[in-house]
Amino acid sequence: MAASIHSVLTTDQLPVVVIGAGPIGLAAAARLVERGLEPLILEAGPVAGSTVREWSHIRLFSTWGEVVDPAAEKLLAPTGWVRPDSSAYPTGGDWAERYLQPLADVLGDKVRYGATVTGVARAGRDRIVDSGRDEQPFTVHVRSTDGHEERLTARAVIDASGTWSVPSPMGADGLPALGEKTAADHITYRVPDLGDPALRTRYAGKRTAVVGSGASAFTALALLADLAKEEDGTHAVWILRRGIGADTYGGGEADQLPARGALGLRAKAAVEAGYAGAATGFRTQAVERDGADRCVLVAEDGRRLDPVDEVIVLTGFRPDLSFLSELRLGLDERLQAPTALAPLIDPNVHSCGTVYPHGVNELSHPEQGVYLVGMKSYGRAPTFLAMTGYEQVRSVAAAIAGDQEAAERVELTLPETGVCGGAGLFDEPESTEPESAEQSGGGCCAAPSTLQIGIGAPAATSGGC
């Protein structure tokens, strides 16, 4: 709908713009339809779940029963769609093909593909202006794949665009390490799909550094360990800003998400069996090149590692807030998450990443009618469950519809991990076991140590949310 439509329709008759046709964006649309509201989903990619498809080879921690939104299932049911085995764990590709795309197809022309949101504001009001602000609809600036620009008008905006497009860099200070950008041809910020022959060739027989301490790093290490069993000379070096301690591998058997715990245990088994070397307490400052065009990682304390052929950086993600610059958002200064939500998910305090179900009260901003949901609502915090996002959009849709009682009601019970605790990003000073961690959740820098590991371990099969 174009901007001029506001002259004909009242604000309440305008659509709710949802940014992103991923799991949470599509669930938001289903909830809006359930409430009799008109959603307009803007997806930058060519298909539903475009970013999910980029990690299609990764298996989720959650089962099918936990990654299908109830309102979405109601929309799908009349089409003959049948939910896959609720106890099975889908890959990202399964999730996109068997659920997200069918759901987007049901929503039909409510979903627009190839539509990149470049800005959101109040009609006729920049960020500075107070007068009449809350009475104005939102304007959403969109650029299509052919370069055409237009301005849409909306009664509310739900940003479910996620954080996938902005991976965190290798540098320990949150900025790219010196030389990181110039070494881009040897660096990836994704877990590689080693089933792809081209990617397999890139890492087979090579020495690869894996930077990170979260589930993605576990997955990459396990995949490289599998490759090492088949291809001589394949070697991984795990770069950790922390030491290796009791909580390095997550909740293990105590984790109420069994696949998440199992992934940590597989990574532990791979390390103990000797598939790689590990550099602990290593906070990367620079990436240098040797005479053979390999990368040499240099730490803030001056340590230099042996050269590696490739680097896989898995240090988390961060939200793209650039197109929201004319809105008045209330964001935590550390996590870039909504201020009421941030204390509940702060990895400086919590190591598990699981938070009690929450909704519109924790997601509201000074700018009324705009909501960051899904992974984007967590800002730089690392751990997010699809079920959390589904509960968020259920509450937000109720609030937009004016049903405050339903918006504030909790309708979800979340699993917990067995390792919730404090000192997520930095260990307490009195800790006797030096520990530190990647931005993807853990602690910090103790006395550096080096742990040598070797060859051969089981493959990881799980990753994701």
Side-chain angles (χ1 to χ4, degrees):
M1 292 187 175
S4 60
I5 204 164
H6 180 53
S7 61
V8 179
L9 301 178
T10 66
T11 297
D12 286 349
Q13 293 174 294
L14 293 172
V16 176
V17 163
V18 179
I19 305 174
I24 310 307
L26 291 172
R31 291 291 180 174
L32 292 166
V33 169
E34 185 178 55
R35 290 278 176 177
L37 302 175
E38 181 69 17
L40 175 59
I41 305 100
L42 302 175
E43 166 58 45
V47 290
S50 293
T51 56
V52 173
R53 294 170 194 266
E54 292 188 32
W55 48 270
S56 61
H57 58 296
I58 302 297
R59 198 168 297 281
L60 278 69
F61 295 139
S62 302
T63 64
W64 273 112
E66 296 164 332
V67 298
V68 173
D69 176 72
E73 188 166 9
K74 289 178 183 176
L75 281 182
L76 285 164
T79 70
W81 181 86
V82 178
R83 182 205 292 220
D85 179 359
S86 292
S87 64
Y89 293 88
T91 62
D94 295 334
W95 204 15
E97 290 293 340
R98 300 177 65 185
Y99 168 63
L100 300 179
Q101 192 62 58
L103 176 55
D105 292 344
V106 169
L107 290 165
D109 60 7
K110 294 178 172 59
V111 184
R112 286 181 49 180
Y113 300 110
T116 299
V117 175
T118 59
V120 182
R122 288 285 188 179
R125 308 289 191 276
D126 64 19
R127 185 186 182 114
I128 300 173
V129 178
D130 290 333
S131 178
R133 186 176 192 86
D134 290 345
E135 289 73 45
Q136 297 302 311
F138 290 95
T139 57
V140 181
H141 290 232
V142 182
R143 184 182 64 249
S144 61
T145 50
D146 63 3
H148 175 71
E149 294 182 312
E150 62 181 311
R151 190 179 77 166
L152 311 177
T153 310
R155 65 178 292 179
V157 175
I158 300 174
D159 183 356
S161 59
T163 57
W164 179 257
S165 63
V166 191
S168 293
M170 193 187 321
D173 56 6
L175 300 173
L178 298 176
E180 182 172 347
K181 292 182 178 179
T182 58
D185 54 334
H186 291 284
I187 299 174
T188 183
Y189 299 86
R190 313 293 190 220
V191 176
D193 179 3
L194 298 184
D196 180 326
L199 287 176
R200 185 181 178 87
T201 300
R202 177 173 176 174
Y203 297 99
K206 304 292 180 60
R207 179 177 167 87
T208 300
V210 177
V211 185
S213 66
S216 294
F218 296 164
T219 303
L221 287 167
L223 292 173
L224 289 170
D226 245 11
L227 185 61
K229 290 189 291 185
E230 302 173 9
E231 300 284 351
D232 291 342
T234 304
H235 189 73
V237 183
W238 190 13
I239 311 300
L240 293 134
R241 295 173 192 165
R242 66 187 301 175
I244 293 181
D247 66 347
T248 298
Y249 302 101
E253 294 179 356
D255 198 317
Q256 289 189 30
L257 288 176
R260 181 170 63 183
L263 178 59
L265 292 175
R266 289 191 181 99
K268 182 179 181 181
V271 168
E272 292 177 345
Y275 282 111
T280 60
F282 193 97
R283 305 182 70 78
T284 308
Q285 176 175 286
V287 183
E288 299 178 355
R289 309 291 277 273
D290 71 359
D293 196 35
R294 294 178 298 177
C295 297
V296 177
L297 273 56
V298 183
E300 291 182 342
D301 62 8
R303 277 188 297 161
R304 300 166 62 87
L305 299 182
D306 291 339
V308 297
D309 300 287
E310 300 291 337
V311 183
I312 302 173
V313 180
L314 301 168
T315 53
F317 297 87
R318 52 188 62 177
D320 178 8
L321 301 169
S322 60
F323 60 88
L324 304 177
S325 62
E326 291 306 312
L327 298 178
R328 298 175 178 181
L329 302 180
L331 298 175
D332 178 76
E333 66 275 10
R334 293 160 299 175
L335 297 185
Q336 296 177 297
T339 51
L341 177 59
L344 309 179
I345 60 175
D346 188 350
N348 286 289
V349 179
H350 310 288
S351 63
C352 68
T354 300
V355 60
Y356 68 74
H358 56 277
V360 69
N361 290 337
E362 292 83 1
L363 299 171
S364 293
H365 294 274
E367 192 81 69
Q368 297 179 28
V370 61
Y371 305 95
L372 278 57
V373 299
M375 191 67 234
K376 191 161 186 177
S377 72
Y378 270 39
R380 298 194 185 194
T383 306
F384 184 81
L385 297 176
M387 290 185 292
T388 299
Y390 296 159
E391 174 68 1
Q392 287 180 340
V393 297
R394 182 204 62 77
S395 173
V396 166
I400 294 173
D403 187 349
Q404 199 62 26
E405 186 276 329
E408 295 182 0
R409 187 172 62 237
V410 174
E411 295 187 3
L412 175 67
T413 301
L414 290 171
E416 296 178 357
T417 179
V419 295
C420 290
L425 291 178
F426 284 83
D427 292 319
E428 296 297 333
E430 64 270 18
S431 173
T432 57
E433 174 78 20
E435 304 235 10
S436 44
E438 291 301 335
Q439 291 172 341
S440 52
C444 154
C445 45
S449 62
T450 300
L451 174 66
Q452 286 299 348
I453 310 167
I455 297 187
T461 57
S462 287
C465 50

